Amino acid sequence: MKRAFSKKEWREAGAGYLLLSPTLFVLLLFIIGPIVFAIFLAFHKVQLLGTTTFQFVGIDNFQRMLEDTRAKIALWNTVKYVIIVVPCQTMLALVLAATLNAGLKGQKFFRIVYFLPTLTSSTVLTLIFMWMYNQNGLINHFLKAIGLPTYNWLGDPDIALNAIMVMNIWSTAPFFMVIYLAALQEVPDSLYEAAELDGANALQKFWYVTVPYLRPVTSFVVIMGLIGTFQLFDQSYIFSSGSGGPNNSTLTVVLLIYQYAFKTLGTMGYAAALAFALAIIILVATLLQRKFSKEESLY
């Protein structure tokens, strides 16, 4: 039989919840509330401008995705972006961190230089790269100077998304580099000493000691990368002026959600359904990554 709470225990519990109430209020108002409301919208046809109306349509919004050609294109662009960017930014971050941790001369200076892209606004970085990719931009001027033909980097549907990928790999890798750099400080020197006694060279020590030891950190970096890349919006929006062009080549799921939510009348419910579907995709991708990666260190 469970013991009844004393008056003192009730007072202590009440005081605890009273102190937590501001945080709980913010959590309910700005996180849980919007999530519940978005799920509600996903099953309705919504008209927010003028007279607000909510018409229950069941799963019609989700069935519409199967027939929406632009939704399929946006999903494919997003998946392709994730598959390429996440491994590249993870490997680049690990290599940069290992290089800075090797005790090279001037490593403090290079740590600052490598981290600068992370401190710069995403919008500013996008505008800089748009200037570089422009037909009269830095890259074409360089190609012209060495006698190579110039290229329309932003206007070619086969290249536009790749241009965004390069920019994001360059700008996000330094953030994950700092995480790897902190983890590298914790690798025991005894592991490297044992590897040296076995005749391992620098590359072998990196591959057989450093990489396995950092597996839990890599799992975290990959999960954060998955969540971030699936939510690509601002770079795609700025590159294409909100259209997802050229020829839908930079259209992502989040950009499509924005277009349906704020650019097309009467499709707010469909946009909420797309957002809900994207959340499920991110959740499944994260769970699969955790399942197929070994979370614990080998040592």
Side-chain angles (χ1 to χ4, degrees):
M1 184 175 180
K2 292 185 178 180
R3 180 179 64 86
F5 285 102
S6 65
K7 291 183 178 180
K8 181 180 179 181
E9 290 174 330
W10 278 111
R11 285 197 300 268
E12 290 177 349
Y17 283 110
L18 180 63
L19 294 172
L20 283 173
S21 58
T23 301
L24 293 175
F25 175 76
V26 172
L27 183 67
L28 289 171
L29 182 63
F30 295 106
I31 298 180
I32 297 178
I35 292 174
V36 173
F37 186 59
I39 296 174
F40 169 80
L41 292 179
F43 295 93
H44 291 76
K45 182 178 180 181
V46 184
Q47 175 64 43
L48 295 180
L49 298 178
T51 303
T52 302
T53 59
F54 299 93
Q55 179 185 350
F56 181 75
V57 294
I59 62 172
D60 288 357
N61 286 328
F62 296 94
Q63 292 177 335
R64 179 177 173 180
M65 297 179 197
L66 302 177
E67 303 172 357
D68 190 346
T69 302
R70 298 189 77 232
K72 295 176 183 177
I73 293 174
L75 179 60
W76 168 242
N77 288 340
T78 303
V79 170
K80 182 169 63 173
Y81 177 84
V82 171
I83 291 174
I84 295 176
V85 171
V86 172
C88 289
Q89 71 183 11
T90 302
M91 290 187 290
L92 179 59
L94 179 56
V95 170
L96 289 176
T99 302
L100 292 177
N101 194 58
L104 301 177
K105 188 176 180 180
Q107 63 178 7
K108 292 184 178 179
F109 170 76
F110 285 109
R111 286 182 185 182
I112 297 173
V113 172
Y114 289 162
F115 194 68
L116 283 177
T118 304
L119 300 177
T120 308
S121 166
S122 174
T123 302
V124 173
L125 282 177
T126 305
L127 293 174
I128 292 173
F129 271 82
M130 285 185 68
W131 168 73
M132 293 173 59
Y133 288 136
N134 194 278
Q135 285 186 308
N136 296 319
L138 181 63
I139 296 177
N140 279 341
H141 276 300
F142 175 75
L143 293 175
K144 189 175 181 180
I146 60 177
L148 294 177
T150 59
Y151 200 77
N152 185 11
W153 303 96
L154 299 178
D156 188 343
D158 296 328
I159 299 296
L161 185 62
N162 297 331
I164 297 178
M165 290 180 187
V166 171
M167 180 192 70
N168 276 278
I169 292 170
W170 176 82
S171 61
T172 56
F175 172 76
F176 297 119
M177 174 199 72
V178 174
I179 298 175
Y180 273 124
L181 195 57
L184 284 170
Q185 313 299 317
E186 303 299 323
V187 181
D189 292 334
S190 58
L191 297 179
Y192 294 115
E193 293 170 359
E196 287 181 2
L197 291 176
D198 290 336
N201 56 34
L203 183 60
Q204 289 172 326
K205 286 190 290 184
F206 173 77
W207 186 253
Y208 293 108
V209 176
T210 305
V211 173
Y213 192 88
L214 296 179
R215 187 171 292 160
V217 180
T218 300
S219 177
F220 170 78
V221 168
V222 171
I223 289 174
M224 295 299 293
L226 284 172
I227 295 173
T229 50
F230 267 114
Q231 296 177 348
L232 174 67
F233 170 74
D234 49 350
Q235 296 94 339
S236 179
Y237 179 89
I238 297 172
F239 261 77
S240 64
S241 299
S243 67
N247 196 25
N248 292 326
S249 61
T250 60
L251 182 66
T252 62
V253 175
V254 179
L255 179 56
L256 185 66
I257 292 171
Y258 166 81
Q259 291 177 351
Y260 278 124
F262 301 107
K263 296 293 185 180
T264 307
L265 293 177
T267 54
M268 177 66 77
Y270 181 53
L274 285 170
F276 182 75
L278 178 62
I280 297 299
I281 291 173
I282 294 175
L283 177 62
V284 170
T286 302
L287 293 177
L288 288 175
Q289 194 282 328
R290 288 176 60 87
K291 179 178 178 61
F292 291 109
S293 66
K294 296 179 181 179
E295 294 288 314
E296 69 280 357
S297 173
L298 295 181
Y299 302 98

